[in-house]
Amino acid sequence: MINTETTLRFSPMYRLQWEEAQQKFVILYPEGMVELNQSSAEILKLCDGSRALPAIVAELEQKFATSGLTNDVTNFLNVALQNGWIQHD
Amino acid sequence: MAGSNTINITSPRWLLAELSYKCPLQCPYCSNPLDYAKYPNELSTDDWKRVLSQARKMGAVQLGFSGGEPLTRQDLPELVGYARELGYYSNLITSGYGLTEEKIIELKQAGLDHIQVSIQASSQELNDHLAGTTTYQHKQEVARLVKKHGYPMVLCVVIHRQNIHQMSEILAMAESLGADYLELANTQYYGWAHINRDALLPTREQFAEAEKIAQAFKEKVAGKMKIYYVVPDYYEDRPKACMNGWATTFLTIAPDGTALPCHSARELPGLDCPNVNDFSIEQIWNESKAFNFFRGTDWMQEPCRSCDEKHKDFGGCRCQAFLFNGDAASTDPVCSKSPERHRIDAAINSARELALSADEKPLVFRNSKNSKQF
Ligand code: SF4
Ligand code: SF4
C-alpha cells in the first residue's frame, strides 16, 4: 500500500517513455509493454524520488488547476505499486 | 462490397534481429530452420543499423537480439548502443555461452535493458546432454552475474519430454537464482523440434502433471517472479493466436537479411520473403507479397472463413498448417473444427508409444553437419 511519508520512484526494472509512433507514453519491460493514458503518464512522471504522495497530488492539482485528486491518484499509485512499476524509497 | 478487401495495416511493434545462425550449442528443439547451413551470409553492422532505424521509425519498440547465438557477433555492443539511442527496449536472447562479466558490464553501459538466459534443464548432466556442450555451470554463473549488474533477470527453460519430469527442480532453481521472470516454454514443434518430435513431445499425463506444479508455483511466487507459461498447443482444442495475426505486430530479420513475418516462415513455400538489402522495412512491411499473404481474413478457407472465432485466433499458425496439411492457408490442425485434427492426434499417439516403450529414438542435434542434410 502507498504511504504518504516516503518518496516514490519509478522502478529501474521498467522504462517509461514517450512513443512518437503511438503518440502515447508506454511502460516497457521484458517481453511486454503497457500503453498509458495521459493522466497515468503524468502521475508516473512525478515518481522521480523527490516527492511523496501529497506532493505528487499537489503538483498535479496545480498543473491542471483543479482539486480533489487525492483518491484517484492514490488508487492509481496503488495499482502501479502492485505491478512493480514504482517503489517507495 | 466496396472496401471489403481493404486491410488495415498496423505498424510493427516487435523486431527480432537474428544476428547469426552460428551457435556453439546444439539444442535438438532449436527453432532455426533445418537447412540454416545454406544461409551463411550475415548482414554487416551498417545494414543492421539501417534496419534498426527504419523499423524504429515505423513504431517498433521491443527489440530482441537473437540467433543462433547473438554473442558470436563482435559488433553486438555497438548495435546495442545504437538501438538504445533510437529508443528501443532491447533484450539479449542468449545461451550464455561466451558471456563474461566484462561483456555483461559493457552491454549494460551500451544500454541493454535485459538478458534472457536459457537453461536446458535443472541438472548438469541433462543440461549438457541437451545442449550438446558443457555449459551448465557457466549458465548458472551467468544468471547470477546478470542479476548482480542490475538487469531484470529472465530465465527461459524450454520444456519437453526429456526434462518435463524436472519441473519442480527447474522452478526451485529459478527461485534460488532470483529470476524476475521465468519463461516456461513448452516446445513448439517447428524446425529441429519437429523432426525430433517423437522423442520430445510429453504425454498428456506428463503435461497435466507439470502444469499443475507450475500453477501452484505461480501462486506461491506471485508478486516476486513473473511466469510466462507457453502452452503446448497440441493438447488444446483451439490454436494459438499465432504472431498476434500475420504481419500485424512482429517482424523478424534473419541473419542474411531475409525479412520474415514469423521466425519459421522461411519453411513456407511460395512466400518469396524479401531481403532488407533490396527493400526498405517500410516497403517490406506494407507492400511485399510475403507480408500481405495472410494479412486479414480474406485468404482463409473453411472452416475458418465462416467461423466466429477468426478474429480471436486468426486461424492459428500458418507453419503448423503447412507442416501437417501441406497447405499453409488451411486451418491450423490443432483446432477441433479442422477436418485434419486427427493428424495432431496421430502425432500425440506416436510420441506416446515411443514414450511408453523401452526404446529411445536418438535425437538429431542442431549442428552444421546435420543441417547440410536438409
Ligand atoms: S536453441 Fe540452442 S542451438 Fe538453437 S540457437 Fe538457441 S542455443 Fe543455439
Ligand atoms: S475454425 Fe479457424 S477461426 Fe475457427 S476456431 Fe478453428 S482455427 Fe480458429
Side-chain angles (χ1 to χ4, degrees):
Chain A
M1 283 287 281
I2 291 286
N3 68 54
T4 50
E5 278 103 60
T6 30
T7 52
L8 290 161
R9 178 186 299 281
F10 196 78
S11 163
M13 292 288 156
Y14 292 82
R15 197 204 290 170
L16 175 66
Q17 94 181 15
W18 172 254
E19 276 302 288
E20 194 57 35
Q22 301 176 62
Q23 291 292 306
K24 13 174 111 105
F25 276 93
V26 298
I27 294 176
L28 296 158
Y29 54 94
E31 324 272 329
M33 170 164 77
V34 177
E35 299 179 2
L36 296 171
N37 59 28
Q38 202 202 339
S39 52
S40 310
E42 294 296 340
I43 300 172
L44 289 175
K45 276 193 286 178
L46 296 175
C47 299
D48 60 0
S50 75
R51 300 175 189 81
L53 178 66
I56 292 175
V57 173
E59 182 102 20
L60 289 165
E61 290 181 345
Q62 194 192 355
K63 183 162 181 191
F64 296 102
T66 180
S67 61
L69 293 181
T70 305
N71 275 350
D72 287 349
V73 174
T74 310
N75 288 343
F76 174 74
L77 285 176
N78 269 320
V79 172
L81 189 68
Q82 239 166 35
N83 287 332
W85 301 337
I86 56 168
Q87 42 192 239
H88 276 293
D89 278 317
Chain B
M1 196 175 70
S4 69
N5 284 321
T6 329
I7 291 159
N8 168 33
I9 300 183
T10 53
S11 61
R13 289 280 178 267
W14 296 66
L15 173 62
L16 186 67
E18 295 183 332
L19 297 182
S20 172
Y21 280 141
K22 292 197 197 88
C23 185
L25 272 60
Q26 311 181 32
C27 309
Y29 49 75
C30 182
S31 63
N32 287 157
L34 289 167
D35 61 356
Y36 74 86
K38 272 191 205 131
Y39 313 102
N41 289 347
E42 289 185 9
L43 292 180
S44 69
T45 309
D46 285 343
D47 291 335
W48 276 117
K49 287 185 175 174
R50 187 182 68 243
V51 166
L52 293 177
S53 304
Q54 292 176 348
R56 178 72 185 127
K57 221 168 165 186
M58 290 189 73
V61 58
Q62 283 276 359
L63 170 63
F65 288 110
S66 128
E69 174 50 67
L71 287 165
T72 59
R73 287 279 299 218
Q74 295 312 307
D75 55 359
L76 182 63
E78 186 178 347
L79 293 176
V80 164
Y82 191 75
R84 183 67 190 87
E85 269 170 46
L86 294 172
Y88 278 107
Y89 187 80
S90 54
N91 171 20
L92 177 66
I93 301 163
T94 178
S95 68
Y97 196 94
L99 193 53
T100 58
E101 184 158 19
E102 291 79 52
K103 199 72 189 224
I104 290 174
I105 295 169
E106 186 186 5
L107 290 168
K108 180 89 191 174
Q109 281 164 352
L112 186 66
D113 290 288
H114 69 113
I115 298 182
Q116 177 186 313
V117 185
S118 65
I119 292 191
Q120 278 69 14
S122 63
S123 67
Q124 167 146 21
E125 192 189 353
L126 185 56
N127 177 86
D128 293 355
H129 168 64
L130 289 169
T133 43
T134 314
T135 54
Y136 182 74
Q137 295 293 350
H138 179 65
K139 279 165 179 284
Q140 304 260 324
E141 180 59 19
V142 164
R144 259 178 236 117
L145 289 171
V146 163
K147 192 88 188 153
K148 173 176 163 198
H149 290 286
Y151 291 98
M153 204 251 282
V154 186
L155 209 62
C156 173
V157 186
V158 178
I159 306 292
H160 43 72
R161 202 163 81 231
Q162 314 280 326
N163 67 4
I164 196 164
H165 61 282
Q166 292 187 339
M167 183 59 90
S168 300
E169 291 82 6
I170 289 171
L171 299 173
M173 173 184 74
E175 201 173 12
S176 79
L177 289 173
D180 299 294
Y181 297 79
L182 174 64
E183 187 169 324
L184 294 169
N186 277 286
T187 302
Q188 307 288 308
Y189 294 93
Y190 309 98
W192 296 83
H194 187 249
I195 54 166
N196 286 310
R197 189 178 58 203
D198 277 343
L200 293 179
L201 182 66
T203 64
R204 189 182 288 274
E205 295 82 354
Q206 286 176 317
F207 162 64
E209 170 73 18
E211 194 182 31
K212 212 168 73 194
I213 298 172
Q215 279 304 337
F217 181 77
K218 194 171 177 171
E219 281 157 36
K220 184 182 135 197
V221 296
K224 277 188 291 181
M225 193 191 302
K226 253 199 197 153
I227 308 222
Y228 295 121
Y229 191 78
V230 182
V231 299
D233 58 352
Y234 284 21
Y235 291 116
E236 302 283 316
D237 59 9
R238 286 292 177 272
K240 53 184 177 270
C242 198
M243 294 289 119
N244 193 34
W246 186 267
T248 62
T249 314
F250 292 93
L251 169 64
T252 296
I253 308 294
D256 64 347
T258 303
L260 305 166
C262 101
H263 63 273
S264 301
R266 212 168 197 151
E267 296 180 300
L268 299 177
L271 269 189
D272 297 329
C273 288
N275 193 292
V276 299
N277 286 319
D278 307 319
F279 304 97
S280 71
I281 297 296
E282 199 167 346
Q283 287 171 318
I284 287 171
W285 186 262
N286 292 328
E287 296 160 26
S288 73
K289 174 181 155 199
F291 281 72
N292 282 300
F293 220 87
F294 299 114
R295 249 192 192 125
T297 52
D298 286 350
W299 54 272
M300 286 181 177
Q301 307 171 356
E302 293 299 344
C304 293
R305 180 170 274 275
S306 52
C307 178
D308 59 5
E309 291 175 62
K310 66 182 171 194
H311 296 290
K312 211 163 99 194
D313 61 33
F314 319 105
C317 171
R318 298 305 90 225
C319 302
Q320 191 142 277
F322 173 69
L323 280 172
F324 277 85
N325 309 336
D327 178 359
S330 61
T331 297
D332 186 328
V334 156
C335 185
S336 62
K337 296 185 187 182
S338 161
E340 308 300 337
R341 169 69 213 196
H342 62 92
R343 295 179 196 254
I344 297 280
D345 296 327
I348 292 175
N349 288 337
S350 153
R352 185 185 175 80
E353 262 166 43
L354 184 68
L356 300 182
S357 78
D359 331 329
E360 266 309 325
K361 199 166 162 179
L363 291 164
V364 182
F365 286 93
R366 178 245 195 238
N367 56 42
S368 306
K369 187 167 148 268
N370 287 334
S371 178
K372 284 184 183 127
Q373 294 165 21
F374 296 100

